[in-house]
Amino acid sequence: MKQALEGSQAIARAVSLCRPQVVSAYPITPQTHIVENLSRLVADGVLDCELVSVESEFSAASVALGAVAAGSRAYTASSSQGILLMSEVLFNISGLRIPLVMTCANRALAAPLSIWNDQQDSMAVRDAGWIQLYCADNQEAVDMTIQAYRIAERCELPVMVCVDGFTLTHTLEVLDLPDQQLVDAFLPAFHFDRKLDPANPISVGTLVSPEFFTEARYDHHQALLQSAEIIEQTRREWQDMTGRDTGGLLGVAGDADARVGVLVLGSITGTLQEAMEASTDTEPACLITLRAFRPFPEQALRDACSGLERLIVLERALSPGAGGIVGSEVRAALSSLDRPPRVFNFSVGLGGRDVPLETWSRALAAVAGNAGAGFDMLDLEPSRLPQEAL
Amino acid sequence: MTQEIEIPLAELRRNQPRFGGLESGHRACLGCGEALAARLVSESAGPDVMYANATGCLEVFTTAWPDSAWQVPWMHSLFSNAASIGAGMEAALKAQGKATKVIAMGGDGGTFDIGFQALSGMLERGHNVLYVCYDNEAYMNTGVQRSSSTPHAAATTTSPAGSESMGKRHLKKDIVSIVAAHHIPYAATASVAYPSDIRKKVRRAMGIEGPSFLHIHAPCPLGWGHDGALTIEVARLAVQTGLFPLIELERGGVAGAMPIREVRPVSDYLGLQARFRHLFADSARAREELEHLQALANHNIEVYRLRGESRQDCMDSEGADTVRRGGMRWA
Ligand SMILES: Cc1ncc(C[n+]2csc(CCOP(=O)(O)OP(=O)(O)O)c2C)c(N)n1
Ligand code: SF4
Ligand SMILES: [Mg+2]
């Protein structure tokens, strides 16, 4: 049913439709509304689950982990500092191959302190061994949250659904919330083969010697690589049931014969789409939205970029001292093409800086000449730098 | 006609089928107090239990992939989150309508220090979890570093004794009081020297709906520097000197203490262990520290009224265990 909902409320409702048995979280802006909405759903008897309001994100992730290990579907959500505080547990969850879904309401990391959006937090844990999905709008946030449970439970891997803080979490959108029957048909009741059970006792999380460690890592790596197919399959199944094409590894829009492409993650997608549609005077371009960052959709990306001469990668994070994170990975993935496009990599919108429609023309201008195709900050304001830095 | 058969009682006892949660084949050092304590706990808790184990010696010596000495559902996640993992398990079991009990456990490091916040959160939220702390008074798994449970004046690799140092400067954290201050239904201390007391306390905790805490003193021959054959004796002396009082607390108040029949001087306990060797040097500093430790023991004896007043109270010896079993001595 179509309704106008705040992003956080929509996500909470989507989570509730998935019938988690244990929800555990700790508040942090801009994730707070998600947890508050879930608490309200529990208080009103809409969602029947154990709500564990813990004393830290470290425990939120640990409670969720313990709950899944004991055989229940679980959920947690966090952001920014909370993601970092959880990070030790995040690696643990994936290494134990625990099917858990969490939302990351993307926010910058301190210092300097910022409560506003960028994607440094989820990027900081990109190597944690989780599937990472990025949502362009709140309809995707709803759909991908439900899909995430299906994917997690099929792959026995945790899934982090990333939504841009404020831009999505605090924005009212008209969206379609599927009904319970549909979700029940799409998502079977929780079943976890390796659950802890007194009737069939197993030991989980044991010490592994160098003799077996590489093989354990190989297994984990393969599972993530193979999850790409499951993500695509889940996207198709969802489309069959709802008629909506959301989820999947990446989305391509715009001109199929374009020589210029731009690649983004998350809510910048909508801004760019609008900007590209509005600018009729520029050359044709295509918009690539990376929905899955882990597994990294290498092949799908190569297919999408094979005809391009120039690819602009815009991202809301950076690896100080190196440059773009997504940009470097994209460049590496495309290097094996016969004629790889030149990759121009920019950070934009760090710490909540607005990403306006002009971003597109600015980016095009920046790559117009034969300037170096390295990394730059597209929206840097030199006048605001301390004098000695100039 | 009745036929007389002789029943060898000791044999009978030994051959009783007994539930073993932690089986042989693990890799603990000879005389490891922690291994003994964990066996006693898992035996008494029975099979319908799920365990969350913090990183530490116990986790490492019981599970080396692909082997495991555990006969119960058991999980290790991290060093500092055993209490939260246990809380999550409990929430899940509750959601599934199951009565399986959750036991979370860790060493003193995983309990007093790095896992302290998670423990406090779990207790405050009232999860139906028994938390067991195996206290060997240092980070043994990483090579005997001081923890906040290391007793005053004990030498560890990060609080060595030297010309400028008499071992650990600070006092042992009074964890059971802090835990009891959460006003949980049941908290107790125990010692590997008193196995039937451990069994009794585990059973008591298992029957409680809500959080409970068991703090078990468990000598580590490697870290404390005593012969592996002396583990029980060392543990018993810790109790008999008053340095490790065996107490029970209900809803924050002291509900019982095991009286000491014959109070022993702390030097009897300290003298058996290399970690206190520097206290027996012929120096004013050493004498002062010995007196300090004696004063700490005296304080415990006074606060918990540990001096037994009648023969009836004399429960601290090996005999106490026997008495609790019903007056018979088995095997
Ligand atoms: C976050 C983190 N810090 C440090 C360690 C290293 N470490 C593993 S076990 C341990 C000490 C364990 O001490 P304790 O809890 O007392 O258990 P014991 O080995 O003495 O039984 C340490 C420091 C770790 N595993 N994780
Ligand atoms: S080092 Fe100490 S605690 Fe660890 S296994 Fe050996 S005796 Fe037990
Ligand atoms: Mg220890």
Side-chain angles (χ1 to χ4, degrees):
Chain A
M1 192 181 76
K2 288 234 188 244
Q3 46 198 310
L5 291 173
E6 190 203 45
S8 299
Q9 199 181 4
I11 292 166
R13 297 271 292 273
V15 169
S16 173
L17 287 169
C18 296
R19 301 186 189 275
Q21 293 154 291
V22 176
V23 170
S24 180
Y26 191 83
I28 180 168
T29 305
Q31 156 265 34
T32 332
H33 288 186
I34 301 176
V35 197
E36 288 173 355
N37 274 294
L38 276 167
S39 307
R40 166 75 28 225
L41 291 171
V42 174
D44 292 344
V46 177
L47 172 60
D48 177 20
C49 81
E50 290 296 318
L51 180 71
V52 189
S53 296
V54 282
E55 81 297 332
S56 73
E57 287 88 353
F58 196 90
S59 283
S62 302
V63 164
L65 162 55
V68 178
S72 285
R73 185 174 287 153
Y75 174 77
T76 189
S78 194
S79 179
S80 182
Q81 313 305 129
I83 297 286
L84 288 197
L85 193 60
M86 279 184 179
S87 61
E88 194 192 8
V89 193
L90 296 181
F91 280 76
N92 202 247
I93 289 170
S94 68
L96 293 170
R97 301 285 306 276
I98 293 288
L100 172 69
V101 171
M102 76 171 289
T103 305
C104 172
N106 285 112
R107 165 184 150 178
L109 292 173
L113 179 62
S114 163
I115 60 159
W116 293 280
N117 167 241
D118 66 31
Q119 295 171 344
Q120 196 73 47
D121 50 1
S122 52
M123 285 296 157
V125 292
R126 68 172 182 173
D127 299 334
W130 285 54
I131 291 174
Q132 277 197 356
L133 307 176
Y134 288 78
C135 306
D137 55 35
N138 281 326
Q139 184 67 64
E140 282 196 5
V142 165
D143 293 0
M144 281 156 80
T145 298
I146 300 166
Q147 291 185 30
Y149 276 101
R150 189 84 176 105
I151 296 164
E153 290 164 22
R154 276 180 173 166
C155 304
E156 293 197 347
L157 280 172
V159 181
M160 181 182 287
V161 182
C162 302
V163 292
D164 283 320
F166 293 110
T167 324
L168 295 185
T169 56
H170 288 54
T171 305
L172 212 69
E173 265 184 58
V174 174
L175 45 82
D176 180 34
L177 206 63
D179 60 33
Q180 186 68 60
Q181 251 178 326
L182 185 147
V183 177
D184 286 346
F186 177 76
L187 185 66
F190 188 71
H191 171 83
F192 183 39
D193 271 342
R194 288 177 291 116
K195 75 169 180 191
L196 294 168
D197 180 3
N200 177 30
I202 53 167
S203 298
V204 175
T206 64
L207 180 73
V208 169
S209 67
E211 229 182 316
F212 297 104
F213 193 86
T214 305
E215 289 66 31
R217 274 285 171 272
Y218 174 81
D219 208 45
H220 187 177
H221 178 50
Q222 289 303 318
L224 265 152
L225 293 179
Q226 284 155 17
S227 73
E229 180 40 39
I230 300 202
I231 292 170
E232 279 298 323
Q233 186 189 335
T234 308
R235 167 201 206 161
R236 290 191 295 270
E237 288 170 6
W238 184 253
Q239 192 175 11
D240 288 345
M241 288 183 81
T242 64
R244 269 197 306 278
D245 184 16
T246 43
L249 298 170
L250 52 78
V252 185
D255 204 308
D257 305 320
R259 305 258 156 238
V260 180
V262 56
L263 181 142
V264 294
L265 296 83
S267 65
I268 310 184
T269 307
T271 312
L272 275 240
Q273 208 155 20
E274 207 179 317
M276 288 163 82
E277 277 163 18
S279 61
T280 43
D281 52 333
T282 53
E283 62 176 303
C286 74
L287 173 62
I288 301 167
T289 305
L290 209 56
R291 290 200 181 116
F293 183 56
R294 287 291 180 273
F296 192 75
E298 208 168 75
Q299 193 50 51
L301 186 67
R302 281 199 203 113
D303 295 345
C305 296
S306 59
L308 297 178
E309 280 166 10
R310 281 174 297 165
L311 176 67
I312 302 166
V313 177
L314 299 180
E315 58 183 303
R316 294 183 115 146
L318 85 152
S319 174
I325 299 166
V326 181
S328 331
E329 295 202 11
V330 167
R331 199 172 274 135
L334 299 183
S335 65
S336 62
L337 284 176
D338 282 344
R339 299 182 52 211
R342 295 186 67 190
V343 177
F344 299 80
N345 187 193
F346 300 101
S347 72
V348 287
L350 298 183
R353 179 157 300 183
D354 192 30
V355 181
L357 290 173
E358 302 81 72
T359 305
W360 178 228
S361 49
R362 256 210 216 192
L364 282 179
V367 304
N370 258 343
F375 169 80
D376 219 337
M377 294 180 155
L378 192 64
D379 48 5
L380 183 79
E381 287 293 343
S383 65
R384 293 179 201 162
L385 286 170
Q387 281 312 302
E388 58 272 23
L390 282 176
Chain B
M1 280 267 294
T2 49
Q3 202 187 332
E4 285 218 357
I5 41 165
E6 201 179 315
I7 300 173
L9 287 181
E11 280 302 307
L12 188 68
R13 165 87 184 168
R14 226 179 258 131
N15 294 331
Q16 287 293 313
R18 186 182 65 175
F19 175 75
L22 175 61
E23 288 294 352
S24 57
H26 60 69
R27 300 157 188 207
C29 309
L30 276 177
C32 173
E34 195 167 271
L36 173 57
R39 178 170 72 71
L40 290 166
V41 167
S42 62
E43 237 175 65
S44 321
D48 196 14
V49 181
M50 195 175 283
Y51 288 85
N53 201 149
T55 313
C57 268
L58 180 62
E59 165 257 332
V60 169
F61 70 64
T62 56
T63 61
W65 176 264
D67 303 320
S68 170
W70 296 98
Q71 304 296 317
V72 280
W74 177 97
M75 173 170 164
H76 160 252
S77 168
L78 295 167
F79 190 16
S80 63
N81 67 354
S84 310
I85 293 286
M89 290 173 169
E90 183 251 11
L93 291 165
K94 210 159 140 192
Q96 295 165 30
K98 293 196 179 131
T100 302
K101 182 88 177 185
V102 174
I103 296 183
M105 51 196 188
D108 48 292
T111 306
F112 289 57
D113 292 342
I114 202 164
F116 186 59
Q117 174 180 322
L119 171 64
S120 176
M122 184 276 283
L123 299 174
E124 181 268 333
R125 293 188 302 272
H127 292 278
N128 184 15
V129 172
L130 163 59
Y131 190 100
V132 181
C133 170
Y134 301 106
D135 186 6
N136 52 23
E137 305 191 321
Y139 301 155
M140 296 313 178
N141 186 48
T142 39
V144 200
Q145 293 86 24
R146 63 90 81 186
S147 77
S148 64
S149 170
T150 304
H152 177 65
T156 68
T157 55
T158 51
S159 63
S163 63
E164 306 301 314
S165 161
M166 291 301 285
K168 186 186 167 188
R169 272 176 53 203
H170 316 97
L171 296 178
K172 181 181 173 84
K173 191 190 273 185
D174 183 4
I175 192 79
V176 79
S177 297
I178 300 171
V179 163
H182 291 75
H183 295 261
I184 58 169
Y186 183 66
T189 59
S191 161
V192 289
Y194 303 89
S196 65
D197 184 58
I198 293 184
R199 289 195 183 97
K200 184 195 81 176
K201 286 170 176 169
V202 170
R203 285 193 202 110
R204 172 95 201 271
M206 291 294 289
I208 282 164
E209 182 70 26
S212 51
F213 181 82
L214 189 56
H215 176 193
I216 308 181
H217 203 227
C220 163
L222 183 108
W224 296 10
H226 63 75
D227 193 291
L230 294 182
T231 297
I232 299 299
E233 188 168 342
V234 168
R236 188 180 301 126
L237 279 164
V239 174
Q240 290 176 328
T241 52
L243 282 171
F244 196 89
L246 300 190
I247 57 172
E248 292 182 284
L249 300 107
E250 289 169 11
R251 299 260 164 226
V254 179
M258 183 189 279
I260 307 170
R261 172 164 46 190
E262 188 198 343
V263 175
R264 305 274 293 265
V266 293
S267 54
D268 284 7
Y269 169 66
L270 306 173
L272 291 176
Q273 307 170 56
R275 62 178 175 156
F276 294 114
R277 187 180 291 140
H278 53 287
L279 300 184
F280 296 91
D282 187 17
S283 76
R285 266 314 286 288
R287 279 189 292 278
E288 191 187 321
E289 289 297 6
L290 266 182
E291 276 169 29
H292 189 173
L293 286 166
Q294 185 61 60
L296 289 173
N298 294 348
H299 177 77
N300 285 339
I301 290 169
E302 195 177 312
V303 168
Y304 294 112
R305 304 209 190 96
L306 299 177
R307 219 174 279 276
E309 272 150 25
S310 68
R311 293 286 301 170
Q312 206 67 4
D313 293 336
C314 302
M315 305 291 271
D316 72 283
S317 69
E318 212 181 342
D321 273 349
T322 315
V323 171
R324 290 229 164 85
R325 283 197 204 117
M328 294 290 280
R329 240 200 119 112
W330 304 107

